[in-house]
Amino acid sequence: MSKALDAILSQYEKNTDTKSKGNKISNEERLKKYFTEKLQKGVKNATRTFRILPAKDGNSPFQEAYFHEKQVNGKYEKIYCPKLNEGEECPLCEAREALLMDGSKKAKQMASEYSPRKYYVVKGIDRDNEDHGVKFWRYKHKYTGDGVQDKMMPIFKLKGDITDAREGRDIIITTNRNDKGWSVVTSIMADDVKILTSDSTQANEWFNNEETFKDVYSKKPLEYLEIVAKNMSPIWDSELSKYVAEEEKEENETASLEEEINLLQNSNETTTSTNGEMTSTTEVDVTSLDSSETDDLPF
Ligand SMILES: [Zn+2]
């Protein structure tokens, strides 16, 4: 095989490989790693059974983690805070501090939108889906004292360390909807004393799981946070291999053929409807489209 051909084929193999498999696992597999107390759409209440795994080092199994809750592309997203989780730079925390420095009432209100929120993350086994393996359960710390952790603690106080593999207990979590339709954990009960598993292979697999919440709640790249901090919409640019602000991208990018045609039609309509009184902006637009068309059209 010639050197060039060899290079071409291995390049192709490499590229197709990253697309189909890469390092990333499928979304379905990924979802198996998460446990949630939240109700699915249309479901009024649910009861789930979960077994908290003990922390390997004998520490508390409840890890504290910080996420910002910020609207991204119209939806609330939990964004990993690099500052509070790792002491690194966080554009969202910086935006918050800048707003607080401003001191005005409006700036203070806006600052609360940038506040990092405290969460607990605990590893365990979803008794209804044991074949999924170790799952991560993340829920918010409630300063009002009526959160998941507040309902969990009495069990530890009354029953001891329920995470013990041999003499621990499962917990039974009941979720209902409140008057706003949101999922709310209404009770957490301790089940009877029960061994985690009698299958030693399974026990080994569960106990030796080294993943932490940092592996499963992905940390977004810095530029993503910078875009969100500016209240813009991050979108993935595969050519640049990074996130860019949609708002800024549109200005820089040449419109697609379809968009160009639409734009052209729109400006023609404008021309007719305004009876030849074309504004200078329309004129400029038409000129630039005409010239780019000759360059870009594939036929
Ligand atoms: Zn932060």
Side-chain angles (χ1 to χ4, degrees):
M1 203 186 285
S2 83
K3 204 180 161 194
L5 180 61
D6 198 19
I8 292 165
L9 292 180
S10 73
Q11 177 194 34
Y12 179 72
E13 204 170 292
K14 209 174 113 209
N15 286 339
T16 44
D17 195 45
T18 31
K19 268 182 195 148
S20 58
K21 286 180 266 156
N23 295 322
K24 287 188 176 163
I25 50 167
S26 77
N27 212 29
E28 198 186 337
E29 280 304 308
R30 208 175 67 87
L31 284 175
K32 287 182 181 171
K33 290 186 183 293
Y34 305 96
F35 178 82
T36 179
E37 78 287 3
K38 300 247 160 42
L39 295 168
Q40 286 188 317
K41 236 183 173 176
V43 179
K44 282 183 183 157
N45 54 65
T47 298
R48 298 180 178 90
T49 311
F50 191 72
R51 176 65 168 249
I52 298 170
L53 285 171
K56 265 186 160 181
D57 46 13
N59 283 334
S60 163
F62 302 99
Q63 286 210 286
E64 291 171 25
Y66 293 86
F67 297 88
H68 291 271
E69 288 174 347
K70 188 93 183 57
Q71 276 214 355
V72 179
N73 301 332
K75 268 188 183 167
Y76 272 99
E77 213 175 84
K78 292 186 183 73
I79 303 168
Y80 186 93
C81 175
K83 188 183 176 191
L84 291 184
N85 290 321
E86 281 161 40
E88 286 173 12
E89 183 188 350
C90 176
L92 291 166
C93 284
E94 280 165 20
R96 177 176 178 264
E97 280 150 28
L99 285 163
L100 287 176
M101 290 268 279
D102 179 90
S104 73
K105 205 179 163 191
K106 201 183 166 215
K108 272 186 186 166
Q109 272 178 350
M110 281 172 74
S112 78
E113 246 190 81
Y114 287 90
S115 295
R117 317 276 172 187
K118 184 173 171 173
Y119 281 80
Y120 294 103
V121 183
V122 65
K123 281 165 91 169
I125 302 299
D126 177 357
R127 287 299 197 192
D128 300 318
N129 296 289
E130 290 192 355
D131 58 312
H132 290 183
V134 175
K135 286 188 189 242
F136 287 78
W137 183 19
R138 170 177 65 177
Y139 49 86
K140 210 191 236 179
H141 171 75
K142 292 279 288 277
Y143 291 93
T144 42
D146 57 351
V148 168
Q149 196 71 348
D150 305 295
K151 295 189 170 81
M152 190 103 73
M153 283 308 110
I155 300 174
F156 281 83
K157 282 181 189 155
L158 294 168
K159 307 286 184 189
D161 184 10
I162 57 161
T163 70
D164 189 272
R166 207 157 276 284
E167 289 170 2
R169 297 162 187 263
D170 291 353
I171 50 170
I172 303 160
I173 307 148
T174 305
T175 311
N176 281 287
R177 290 200 185 275
N178 68 6
D179 52 359
K180 286 177 185 150
W182 299 348
S183 298
V184 176
V185 171
T186 43
S187 87
I188 300 179
M189 292 181 294
D191 206 345
D192 297 336
V193 170
K194 189 179 166 190
I195 191 162
L196 171 65
T197 174
S198 44
D199 179 338
S200 61
T201 322
Q202 199 167 48
N204 270 326
E205 201 187 302
W206 291 349
F207 273 113
N208 293 319
N209 179 297
E210 299 277 356
E211 284 173 313
T212 73
F213 75 89
K214 293 179 185 183
D215 300 312
V216 293
Y217 299 105
S218 67
K219 186 179 165 182
K220 291 271 165 48
L222 194 65
E223 82 265 9
Y224 185 97
L225 273 68
E226 281 166 351
I227 296 165
V228 175
K230 286 187 274 181
N231 269 326
M232 294 200 277
S233 318
I235 48 167
W236 181 252
D237 187 315
S238 46
E239 268 171 45
L240 299 173
S241 279
K242 64 170 194 171
Y243 284 97
V244 294
E246 194 177 12
E247 292 82 352
E248 285 174 355
K249 190 183 162 76
E250 274 169 356
E251 284 165 27
N252 302 333
E253 209 178 49
T254 330
S256 71
L257 181 58
E258 205 183 349
E259 282 166 340
E260 280 182 20
I261 292 166
N262 285 339
L263 280 172
L264 216 61
Q265 276 172 350
N266 287 343
S267 48
N268 284 343
E269 277 163 26
T270 323
T271 323
T272 3
S273 66
T274 52
N275 269 339
E277 282 172 77
M278 277 204 313
T279 61
S280 57
T281 342
T282 321
E283 244 171 38
V284 173
D285 276 347
V286 173
T287 327
S288 73
L289 278 174
D290 280 345
S291 59
S292 66
E293 233 181 20
T294 40
D295 290 333
D296 293 340
L297 282 181
F299 44 83

